[in-house]
Amino acid sequence: MAAPVEIDPTDRHLGEQLARLVPAADRDALVGLVLGLRHAEREGSSRLPLDPAILGPLTEALGLGPEVLRLAAELRQAPDRLAPVVGAGDAFRPLSVEDGCLHAQRMRALEQRLAEGLARLAAAPPVPGAEAALAEVLARPPVLGGRPLVLSDEQRAAVAAAGRQGLTAISGGPGTGKTSIVVSILRVLVRLGVAPERIALAAPTGKAADRMRAATEAALARIADPTDADRRLMAELPRPQTLHRLLGFSPRDETFRHHEHDPLAAQVVLVDESSMVDLMLADRLVRALGADARLVLVGDAHQLPSVDAGAVFRDLCAAGEGIAVTLRHSFRMDASDPRGRSVLEAARAVDAGDVRRVKGTGAVAVDALRFEGFERVGASGLEPFLERWWTTFGQPLVQGAGEPLEARGGRLTPAAAARAEERFARMDRARLLAPTRARREGVVALNDALHGRACAARSLDPRRSFAFGEPLLVTRNDYERDLFNGDQGLVLPVRSERGVRPSAVFRTREGMVAFGLEAVRSLTELAWAVTVHKAQGSEHDVVALVLPGEALPLTTRELVYTALTRARHGALVVGSEAVLGAAVEARAERFSGLRSRLDRARAR
């Protein structure tokens, strides 16, 4: 039996308003279909299949009657029978039926417009000289540990495609060398005559953009024999930014400065962590590209899809030759690093839905944890696990954090910034993840547990104070302070012209910046633990996924895979074998028409 689903009153109101326009005998059934469609959209789909095998369990969960399935079958055959509310294909009506699915007109129009824009990019003539430029790049590889970092055949194919094609989607799991590919693409582009200032680097979140910047700068610095083109790229490397900032989003009036009538100046836009890009944002981006611009999307199609509707990157990666390149070989399978290999093997087992293999890693006692490779702790071990996590990763973060850092004009001095950077490195080493905010095993409860320990260590009241060294997470954009949803900071004492006061310290484009704690309290929260969705775009030496006490719709294969792939060396799951197994078996299914629309648009 399907788990009950709560109905949103606004969805019912919408359905009832539309039902007033159809015959009385069909009104209840139409309300039910609208409720089903709105639920599908809230779950990330852009349409609702009218197939009874899919619609049946949903109507049961919503508490709807058999008349909904009856009407769905009739509309599949004759959509116009409920005109003017429902129509076929591109009929300009509130609802439409196409490819056996029910669409809201606005969602269908959004998908269609995006598909046509993507098809236009894919149809761009190939750029000449990409292979020659790649050959020059390959002749001067970066060097790490005295060894040249040589691209594999599939990595070369990805770089060549990005240099040649108008639209490229590159998908690869952990360790497949996406950073090396991004840097190689940049080096190829400048050799093809694209000025660095005409390249835009972007990511969905500020955290992912910062990671992109650090990884790109480090990789460029490893080029042993740079050419003039490489030196220019190093000197003028475009700073990665969030997609909203790139597109000129104004939070005051919720508009975008760049669109089809005021396009971006960039000749090439390269986006990292593209699985996080939703349908609306992808449409905004493609509409903002200039007539001759090219688009490169990089990410992992097996990760969680975007929070909002759509599965754009997944659909593009299924589009085949001429758009998609898939990276299959992982360089974390190096026998010299069994820790990374163990995590990767567990992530691959999860991605394959191999429950037996995932469960084959038996639960270990908390005091036996090594925080290396893939490990499991049973649900009954949550409390002792939190104590072990605190002593291993929490205490080192708050110990010694009470020494003030010097700041001038709100910015840390170079010496203070270096000390703060050491603290940030400790924070980045490990992170607790959870599927939800609520529940005993959710983010709020986990943060409270570690916050209590941090305050107890300094004899502070956890209801009124933060302890120095505690991590913070920005929960909404603040353009005036240059802080963005997902940015992470630390509570630290800062000495300025006003004396010493508790401050929130963040990495920004202007360096290490300190804000009075009270000034940012409304847009931050503790970040000892974050949701898996918030963790996308981050990477840590060790991650721990704390599962809920029972299987939930949110606990899916993609969620567990995303959590495990945030880890470099150690990933552990805290929770029952039954909940883990159910999560590995469950898919985060999204119903999207983008792929079929793109195929049709490319065929025209």
Side-chain angles (χ1 to χ4, degrees):
M1 183 175 179
V5 172
E6 186 175 347
I7 294 175
D8 190 300
T10 60
D11 295 344
R12 182 176 291 281
H13 178 72
L14 173 62
E16 290 171 348
Q17 291 299 306
L18 292 174
R20 294 171 61 187
L21 304 175
V22 305
D26 294 315
R27 287 175 183 170
D28 287 346
L30 181 62
V31 170
L33 280 179
V34 171
L35 291 175
L37 177 60
R38 291 293 294 140
H39 175 75
E41 290 178 351
R42 291 180 191 280
E43 293 295 304
S45 295
S46 58
R47 61 183 185 176
L48 174 66
L50 298 179
D51 183 342
I54 296 172
L55 188 58
L58 178 56
T59 58
E60 180 184 348
L62 290 168
L64 305 174
E67 69 276 5
V68 177
L69 293 177
R70 172 192 58 78
L71 181 60
E74 294 174 1
L75 290 176
R76 290 180 70 182
Q77 300 301 319
D80 290 322
R81 73 174 292 276
L82 288 187
V85 175
V86 185
D90 57 359
F92 193 74
R93 293 172 185 168
L95 304 174
S96 65
V97 177
E98 187 177 31
D99 297 334
C101 297
L102 182 69
H103 307 72
Q105 192 276 335
R106 57 182 177 77
M107 268 306 179
R108 185 193 177 281
L110 194 62
E111 273 193 345
Q112 186 62 36
R113 184 170 61 193
L114 176 58
E116 291 171 357
L118 292 170
R120 174 181 58 79
L121 289 168
V127 177
E131 280 71 17
L134 175 58
E136 185 178 329
V137 168
L138 294 175
R140 292 175 168 81
V143 175
L144 181 63
R147 298 173 56 186
L149 298 177
V150 180
L151 296 184
S152 66
D153 289 344
E154 64 180 13
Q155 290 174 327
R156 296 181 188 188
V159 176
R164 180 179 63 248
Q165 298 171 181
L167 172 64
T168 309
I170 303 170
S171 176
T176 51
K178 294 188 290 293
T179 297
S180 296
I181 288 170
V182 167
V183 172
S184 298
I185 291 171
L186 295 175
R187 297 178 68 196
V188 165
L189 290 176
V190 295
R191 285 164 170 79
L192 291 173
V194 181
E197 64 268 19
R198 297 291 305 281
I199 302 171
L201 302 179
T205 68
K207 180 169 51 180
D210 286 343
R211 265 195 64 208
M212 188 183 192
R213 175 191 57 78
T216 303
E217 289 177 352
L220 286 171
R222 297 190 189 110
I223 301 172
D225 184 22
T227 64
D228 289 343
D230 293 323
R231 294 188 186 92
R232 183 183 178 191
L233 180 61
M234 294 176 193
E236 303 175 19
L237 180 69
R239 186 180 183 92
Q241 54 191 316
T242 65
L243 281 168
H244 279 81
R245 179 175 282 275
L246 173 68
L247 297 173
F249 177 70
S250 169
R252 179 171 299 175
D253 50 14
E254 295 189 343
T255 60
F256 291 84
R257 182 172 67 253
H258 293 295
H259 41 72
E260 55 267 51
H261 303 300
D262 184 9
L264 295 165
Q267 192 174 342
V268 179
V269 176
L270 196 158
V271 181
D272 198 12
E273 296 290 349
S274 298
S275 66
M276 301 168 66
V277 180
D278 61 65
L279 183 63
M280 185 281 290
L281 191 55
D283 173 66
R284 288 286 185 182
L285 173 60
V286 171
R287 286 167 57 193
L289 296 176
D292 298 323
R294 290 179 280 155
L295 178 62
V296 181
L297 302 172
V298 181
D300 184 348
H302 298 273
Q303 284 188 22
L304 279 169
S306 56
V307 174
D308 292 321
V312 176
F313 189 63
R314 182 200 68 186
D315 290 344
L316 278 176
C317 289
E321 189 175 353
I323 292 179
V325 181
T326 301
L327 308 172
R328 305 187 187 281
H329 178 73
S330 175
F331 296 90
R332 288 190 191 173
M333 293 296 286
D334 187 344
S336 65
D337 185 12
R339 304 169 302 170
R341 184 173 71 249
S342 174
V343 173
L344 178 63
E345 288 173 345
R348 284 180 167 174
V350 169
D351 185 43
D354 190 343
V355 177
R356 182 189 58 81
R357 189 174 170 192
V358 175
K359 288 183 175 180
T361 303
V364 301
V366 169
D367 57 6
L369 286 172
R370 297 180 298 115
F371 299 108
E372 294 183 347
F374 177 63
E375 300 175 295
R376 276 204 313 114
V377 173
S380 61
L382 177 58
E383 290 304 322
F385 163 75
L386 287 176
E387 185 62 29
R388 178 78 191 280
W389 185 270
W390 165 252
T391 57
T392 305
F393 302 111
Q395 277 184 341
L397 191 55
V398 300
Q399 284 175 343
E403 185 178 347
L405 300 171
E406 300 292 330
R408 296 291 180 271
R411 189 178 305 175
L412 298 192
T413 65
R419 287 172 49 204
E421 191 60 52
E422 294 176 1
R423 291 274 163 195
F424 273 84
R426 293 186 201 178
M427 177 183 71
D428 291 340
R429 184 185 170 204
R431 188 57 48 90
L432 281 175
L433 307 179
T436 67
R437 292 182 55 79
R439 296 177 166 264
R440 170 177 172 265
E441 309 87 353
V443 164
V444 174
L446 296 174
N447 276 324
D448 285 347
L450 293 172
H451 172 59
R453 287 169 168 83
C455 289
R458 297 183 60 87
S459 301
L460 298 172
D461 184 348
R463 297 168 298 179
R464 299 184 177 184
S465 305
F466 288 115
F468 292 139
E470 289 202 89
L472 296 175
L473 180 75
V474 176
T475 57
R476 58 183 174 84
N477 295 337
D478 186 325
Y479 292 87
E480 291 184 3
R481 293 185 174 92
D482 203 28
L483 297 176
F484 298 93
N485 188 5
D487 286 353
Q488 295 182 1
L490 288 168
V491 178
L492 296 169
V494 173
R495 180 184 288 112
S496 66
E497 298 85 351
R498 302 177 182 178
V500 178
R501 62 175 179 169
S503 301
V505 176
F506 294 93
R507 298 182 180 111
T508 72
R509 295 185 301 171
E510 305 301 324
M512 288 281 187
V513 178
F515 302 99
L517 204 51
E518 291 303 319
V520 297
R521 188 181 287 270
S522 65
L523 56 93
T524 58
E525 64 182 25
L526 285 166
W528 290 108
V530 300
T531 63
V532 178
H533 272 99
K534 287 284 189 183
Q536 286 184 275
S538 65
E539 193 174 77
H540 308 279
D541 288 343
V542 181
V543 299
L545 172 64
V546 180
L547 292 174
E550 60 182 332
L552 301 173
L554 277 174
T555 50
T556 62
R557 181 183 307 177
E558 289 81 2
L559 180 136
V560 177
Y561 173 84
T562 301
L564 297 186
T565 54
R566 301 307 90 209
R568 300 185 189 96
H569 308 307
L572 60 129
V573 175
V574 182
S576 74
E577 184 177 282
V579 173
L580 176 59
V584 173
E585 289 178 338
R587 298 301 304 266
E589 191 166 22
R590 291 201 169 181
F591 303 111
S592 162
L594 181 61
R595 166 74 191 285
S596 58
R597 297 186 196 284
L598 178 58
D599 288 344
R600 288 195 288 266
R602 295 180 71 192
R604 287 200 289 268

